[in-house]
Amino acid sequence: MIREAEKEDTKQIIALIAASMPYDTAFARRYYRQYFDDPAGDKVFVWEEEGQILGVAGYCLDLFSTKYSCELGWLTVDADHRKKGIGSKLLKKVEKSAKAQKLRKLFVSAEDCNSGALAFYKKNSFRTEGVLRDFYGLGEDQIILSKWLD
Ligand SMILES: CC(C)(COP(=O)(O)OP(=O)(O)OC[C@H]1O[C@@H](n2cnc3c(N)ncnc32)[C@H](O)[C@@H]1OP(=O)(O)O)[C@@H](O)C(=O)NCCC(=O)NCCS
């Protein structure tokens, strides 16, 4: 089932992120500490089964901008439970919640080598907005995608 993340979930959320995106672990730790202290309009959801957090996704407002766009934050599903629709359901929840806040556009960035994530976003109607060349290293581009929320 999907529910809003709670502070007690932090350890499991960080473990999920560490397993699939280890380079993001330190930033994720800082983000969720701040999120549970003061969400400031952001929202995080988890997919839970029998006390186990198997997926996480959220959206973050751009604090420097208008409340028009937001960013999908750390969508990840436990490796043993992928391709069962959990990621899509978490994404739908994020979209519904962001739309309810009158946000209009959802952005996400992904590594160009993350073919699984890019296929997932394509299937879920994201379009490519741009490419930040050599963002992660020489020849390692960042792809920026977006989706209208209405
Ligand atoms: C991307 C991710 C969240 C998708 O979660 P999921 O629960 O597997 O997604 P769903 O089951 O809802 O959707 C599956 C669909 O997404 C696409 N997809 C997902 N993983 C894929 C892969 N490895 N290769 C190709 N297509 C893939 C396919 O279109 C697939 O549909 P199909 O099963 O009919 O082929 C998951 O693969 C994940 O956690 N990846 C590691 C973390 C990550 O890269 N997150 C995104 C960071 S930008």
Side-chain angles (χ1 to χ4, degrees):
M1 68 155 199
I2 294 181
R3 60 168 173 80
E4 263 192 56
E6 292 166 8
K7 193 170 188 174
E8 294 66 37
D9 303 323
T10 306
K11 213 172 157 186
Q12 288 196 66
I13 292 173
I14 298 296
L16 268 183
I17 291 170
S20 57
M21 295 173 272
Y23 41 83
D24 270 355
T25 312
F27 181 33
R29 240 185 227 115
R30 284 201 303 279
Y31 174 77
Y32 289 109
R33 195 180 303 131
Q34 187 185 319
Y35 171 78
F36 288 118
D37 193 34
D38 174 16
D42 292 5
K43 284 263 191 237
V44 177
F45 301 99
V46 291
W47 181 279
E48 183 195 337
E49 282 178 26
E50 295 168 359
Q52 292 295 307
I53 305 292
L54 300 179
V56 63
Y59 64 87
C60 316
L61 298 179
D62 181 347
L63 299 178
F64 297 104
S65 181
T66 63
K67 288 194 170 141
Y68 189 84
S69 303
C70 58
E71 179 116 12
L72 182 66
W74 286 304
L75 168 64
T76 184
V77 172
D78 176 69
D80 294 335
H81 294 82
R82 288 179 192 161
K83 292 223 175 181
K84 293 178 180 173
I86 296 176
S88 302
K89 287 183 186 128
L90 280 164
L91 176 64
K92 290 250 163 354
K93 183 75 180 173
V94 162
E95 289 174 9
K96 202 172 162 197
S97 176
K99 207 172 148 184
Q101 277 209 54
K102 306 220 177 320
L103 290 155
R104 298 285 316 282
K105 213 170 170 186
L106 180 63
F107 283 85
V108 68
S109 54
E111 291 169 76
D112 63 345
C113 61
N114 193 347
S115 54
L118 292 171
F120 172 83
Y121 292 129
K122 194 170 174 197
K123 186 172 185 182
N124 284 285
S125 308
F126 280 78
R127 68 172 190 189
T128 301
E129 291 278 3
V131 178
L132 300 186
R133 300 207 182 280
D134 306 319
F135 185 86
Y136 303 104
L138 194 59
E140 298 171 32
D141 300 342
Q142 183 181 77
I143 314 293
I144 299 175
L145 306 114
S146 80
K147 178 174 183 175
W148 288 104
L149 289 169
D150 44 22

